[in-house]
Amino acid sequence: MKNISRSSVSGIFLIEMLFSILIFAIIATICAKIFVGSYFIAADSAKLNSAVVLAENYAECFKAQEGSLAGVSDILGGKYTMNALENGYNEKWLPVTDAQQAKYLLELTITTEYPDCLCGNVAIKDNNDQLVYQLKVTTLEGDHE
Amino acid sequence: MNKKFHSSGLGVVTLVMIFAVLALTVFALLTLNTARAEQALAEKTALAVQNYYNADSKATILCATLQQELHDNPILHTFTWKDIEVQLTRDKRGIVGNYSCPVDSNQALAVRILFTTDHYRIEKWRVENNLSWENDQHLPVWIGE
């Protein structure tokens, strides 16, 4: 009788243990998915925040330099042509000279849609050519104090 | 001896599992909630920056347009451009133009520019609240009655 009771208790304990492990495994899987999803959402938010700050920097430099890409390049770096400036950034949003290492590409293009004004379009794309953030800025040409 | 078997840890595993699952679930949901709040804030910030620069661009283009219009027609009193009305007043320094470009439903970029014969000076370029509010002067303190 004692032996039957002992094996019965061990069996129940084993079933309880297995059941607990099963439930825990299911919940842990769901929670792991939630943690991973949260990580990616937070990474996207951090990327957007960094892109906004960078675009603002370029926009303000563009305004301060009255549309001079050479002036913007002197302050923030980047290669420029007649009406476009490009600069690459790595995953930590630090400027890189080698385009192969760049994870993000910033483009500042100038258009002259209105007289006496220079319109700049700051676009930040990732290396999959997906637009992260875009900002349009306009500055004045001419004499003002 | 039977008593010893009955108190041999049956149910403890389930209790530990319940505690672990609850803790894991709570932490996972808190992490997800924080990540979503951060994402909402980042998107809101990005939109606010875009709205500001849109208003800033409008104000800049209007400034240049206004300068051209005043050059062509110096006796101008009011001027409207894309639903933005400019109030023009004259003082001893020159012509003063006042206008505001909407940033969002609650804010507008208020601009005041002084136009003189050969140049112009930006006297105000500031985001202001549209919403009217009143100070709450009511102090519910006990006066001894």
Side-chain angles (χ1 to χ4, degrees), chain A residues 1-2 5-6 9 12-14 16-21 23-24 27-32 34-35 37-39 41-42 44-46 48-49 52 55-57 59-60 63 114-117 119 133-145, chain B residues 1-2 5-6 8-15 17 20-21 24-25 27-29 31-33 35-36 38-43 45-50 52-54 56-58 60-65 67-68 81-82 118-122 125:
Chain A
M1 189 66 188
K2 272 183 184 175
S5 178
R6 184 179 292 176
V9 169
I12 292 167
F13 183 76
L14 189 64
E16 185 194 10
M17 192 79 158
L18 286 173
F19 183 75
S20 298
I21 289 169
I23 297 288
F24 183 80
I27 301 290
T29 310
I30 294 166
C31 288
I34 293 173
F35 279 124
S38 304
Y39 172 80
I41 291 171
D44 276 351
S45 309
L48 184 59
N49 279 330
V52 169
E56 270 188 292
N57 285 346
E60 286 305 320
K63 280 171 75 76
Y114 298 94
D116 300 329
C117 290
C119 301
Y133 191 63
Q134 189 176 25
L135 204 57
K136 288 183 179 174
V137 60
T138 307
T139 187
L140 289 166
E141 287 181 311
D143 297 331
H144 66 278
E145 292 177 0
Chain B
M1 196 64 186
N2 269 346
F5 278 124
H6 286 304
S8 64
L10 270 181
V12 173
V13 174
T14 307
L15 282 175
M17 187 273 291
V21 160
L24 202 60
T25 310
F27 281 123
L29 291 177
T31 309
L32 184 65
N33 197 32
R36 281 193 175 164
E38 272 180 23
Q39 189 186 32
L41 182 64
E43 282 170 3
T45 307
L47 186 66
V49 170
Q50 263 179 346
Y52 171 75
Y53 278 97
N54 284 341
D56 184 86
S57 290
K58 273 187 191 170
T60 306
I61 293 162
L62 181 52
C63 177
T65 311
Q67 192 193 24
Q68 189 61 45
W81 181 80
K82 287 188 179 176
D118 53 345
H119 66 277
Y120 55 90
R121 185 165 63 200
I122 297 166
W125 197 276

Side-chain angles (χ1 to χ4, degrees), chain B:
Chain B
M1 196 64 186
N2 269 346
K3 269 189 175 176
K4 199 180 175 186
F5 278 124
H6 286 304
S7 60
S8 64
L10 270 181
V12 173
V13 174
T14 307
L15 282 175
V16 170
M17 187 273 291
I18 288 169
F19 177 75
V21 160
L22 275 177
L24 202 60
T25 310
V26 166
F27 281 123
L29 291 177
L30 283 174
T31 309
L32 184 65
N33 197 32
T34 307
R36 281 193 175 164
E38 272 180 23
Q39 189 186 32
L41 182 64
E43 282 170 3
K44 222 172 174 179
T45 307
L47 186 66
V49 170
Q50 263 179 346
N51 284 342
Y52 171 75
Y53 278 97
N54 284 341
D56 184 86
S57 290
K58 273 187 191 170
T60 306
I61 293 162
L62 181 52
C63 177
T65 311
L66 197 56
Q67 192 193 24
Q68 189 61 45
E69 287 291 324
L70 283 171
H71 184 262
D72 296 342
N73 183 11
I75 56 162
L76 204 65
H77 284 282
T78 56
F79 179 70
T80 306
W81 181 80
K82 287 188 179 176
D83 296 336
I84 302 167
E85 195 177 333
V86 184
Q87 296 296 328
L88 292 163
T89 53
R90 280 155 178 82
D91 62 17
K92 58 184 178 185
R93 299 175 300 158
I95 303 168
V96 179
N98 275 295
Y99 57 91
S100 66
C101 301
V103 176
D104 55 32
S105 55
N106 299 332
Q107 292 179 320
L109 181 67
V111 177
R112 185 171 63 237
I113 302 170
L114 171 69
F115 294 96
T116 56
T117 49
D118 53 345
H119 66 277
Y120 55 90
R121 185 165 63 200
I122 297 166
E123 292 191 332
K124 184 168 82 170
W125 197 276
R126 185 172 68 197
V127 176
E128 291 178 348
N129 265 331
N130 287 336
L131 295 173
S132 59
W133 56 281
E134 290 175 9
N135 285 333
D136 185 4
Q137 302 288 348
H138 175 65
L139 285 175
V141 291
W142 187 59
I143 53 172
E145 291 177 2

